Short mmCIF file of all heavy atoms in Angstrom, two decimals:
data_model
loop_
_atom_site.label_atom_id
_atom_site.label_comp_id
_atom_site.label_asym_id
_atom_site.label_seq_id
_atom_site.Cartn_x
_atom_site.Cartn_y
_atom_site.Cartn_z
N GLU C 55 0.45 6.12 -8.55
CA GLU C 55 1.71 5.75 -9.10
C GLU C 55 2.01 6.84 -10.02
O GLU C 55 1.12 7.52 -10.63
CB GLU C 55 1.42 4.48 -9.94
CG GLU C 55 2.62 3.91 -10.68
CD GLU C 55 2.25 2.80 -11.62
OE1 GLU C 55 1.25 2.02 -11.36
OE2 GLU C 55 2.87 2.76 -12.67
N HIS C 56 3.28 7.29 -10.06
CA HIS C 56 3.54 8.41 -11.06
C HIS C 56 4.97 8.06 -11.66
O HIS C 56 5.95 7.66 -11.08
CB HIS C 56 3.56 9.63 -10.34
CG HIS C 56 4.10 9.74 -8.94
ND1 HIS C 56 5.47 10.05 -8.83
CD2 HIS C 56 3.53 9.56 -7.81
CE1 HIS C 56 5.80 10.07 -7.65
NE2 HIS C 56 4.66 9.80 -6.91
N PRO C 57 5.05 8.36 -12.98
CA PRO C 57 6.34 8.22 -13.71
C PRO C 57 7.38 9.09 -13.17
O PRO C 57 7.04 10.06 -12.46
CB PRO C 57 5.90 8.60 -15.13
CG PRO C 57 4.43 8.66 -15.21
CD PRO C 57 3.98 9.01 -13.85
N ALA C 58 8.66 8.69 -13.35
CA ALA C 58 9.83 9.47 -12.88
C ALA C 58 9.82 10.95 -13.57
O ALA C 58 9.40 10.95 -14.65
CB ALA C 58 11.05 8.76 -13.33
N PRO C 59 10.11 11.95 -12.72
CA PRO C 59 9.94 13.30 -13.25
C PRO C 59 10.70 13.61 -14.56
O PRO C 59 10.17 14.33 -15.43
CB PRO C 59 10.60 14.13 -12.14
CG PRO C 59 10.47 13.35 -10.87
CD PRO C 59 10.48 11.89 -11.26
N VAL C 60 11.78 12.92 -14.80
CA VAL C 60 12.54 13.27 -16.06
C VAL C 60 11.76 12.70 -17.30
O VAL C 60 12.02 13.24 -18.38
CB VAL C 60 13.96 12.60 -16.12
CG1 VAL C 60 14.87 13.41 -15.20
CG2 VAL C 60 13.98 11.12 -15.79
N LYS C 61 10.91 11.84 -17.06
CA LYS C 61 9.99 11.39 -18.08
C LYS C 61 9.00 12.40 -18.64
O LYS C 61 8.60 12.56 -19.70
CB LYS C 61 9.11 10.09 -17.82
CG LYS C 61 9.92 8.86 -17.72
CD LYS C 61 8.98 7.66 -18.05
CE LYS C 61 9.71 6.30 -17.88
NZ LYS C 61 10.67 6.13 -18.96
N MET C 62 8.75 13.34 -17.68
CA MET C 62 7.85 14.50 -17.97
C MET C 62 8.52 15.84 -18.15
O MET C 62 8.15 16.56 -19.21
CB MET C 62 6.83 14.59 -16.88
CG MET C 62 6.10 13.32 -16.67
SD MET C 62 5.02 13.33 -15.30
CE MET C 62 6.16 12.94 -13.89
N PHE C 63 9.50 16.23 -17.32
CA PHE C 63 10.11 17.56 -17.44
C PHE C 63 11.41 17.45 -17.97
O PHE C 63 12.34 17.18 -17.18
CB PHE C 63 10.09 18.07 -16.02
CG PHE C 63 8.68 18.16 -15.38
CD1 PHE C 63 8.48 17.27 -14.17
CD2 PHE C 63 7.64 18.84 -15.97
CE1 PHE C 63 7.21 17.20 -13.59
CE2 PHE C 63 6.36 18.65 -15.33
CZ PHE C 63 6.17 17.86 -14.29
N ASN C 64 11.57 17.64 -19.22
CA ASN C 64 12.94 17.65 -19.84
C ASN C 64 12.94 18.51 -21.03
O ASN C 64 12.07 19.34 -21.16
CB ASN C 64 13.06 16.13 -20.34
CG ASN C 64 11.80 15.67 -21.19
OD1 ASN C 64 11.38 16.30 -21.92
ND2 ASN C 64 11.50 14.38 -20.82
N GLU C 65 13.82 18.46 -21.89
CA GLU C 65 14.18 19.38 -22.92
C GLU C 65 12.96 19.37 -23.98
O GLU C 65 12.89 20.31 -24.75
CB GLU C 65 15.45 19.29 -23.53
CG GLU C 65 15.77 17.94 -24.44
CD GLU C 65 15.94 16.77 -23.59
OE1 GLU C 65 15.88 16.77 -22.45
OE2 GLU C 65 16.05 15.65 -24.25
N ASN C 66 12.15 18.50 -23.93
CA ASN C 66 11.01 18.31 -24.90
C ASN C 66 9.70 18.81 -24.34
O ASN C 66 8.71 18.75 -24.89
CB ASN C 66 10.77 16.80 -25.29
CG ASN C 66 11.94 16.36 -26.09
OD1 ASN C 66 12.50 17.09 -26.90
ND2 ASN C 66 12.39 15.15 -25.93
N TYR C 67 9.70 19.43 -23.08
CA TYR C 67 8.52 19.77 -22.44
C TYR C 67 7.72 20.77 -23.32
O TYR C 67 8.32 21.84 -23.64
CB TYR C 67 8.89 20.46 -21.00
CG TYR C 67 7.66 20.63 -20.17
CD1 TYR C 67 6.79 19.58 -19.81
CD2 TYR C 67 7.27 21.83 -19.77
CE1 TYR C 67 5.78 19.67 -19.08
CE2 TYR C 67 6.12 21.96 -18.82
CZ TYR C 67 5.31 20.93 -18.55
OH TYR C 67 4.27 21.28 -17.81
#
Side-chain angles (χ1 to χ4, degrees):
E55 188 186 324
H56 43 87
V60 287
K61 284 207 183 292
M62 300 176 276
F63 309 112
N64 51 43
E65 69 287 358
N66 294 319
Y67 191 56

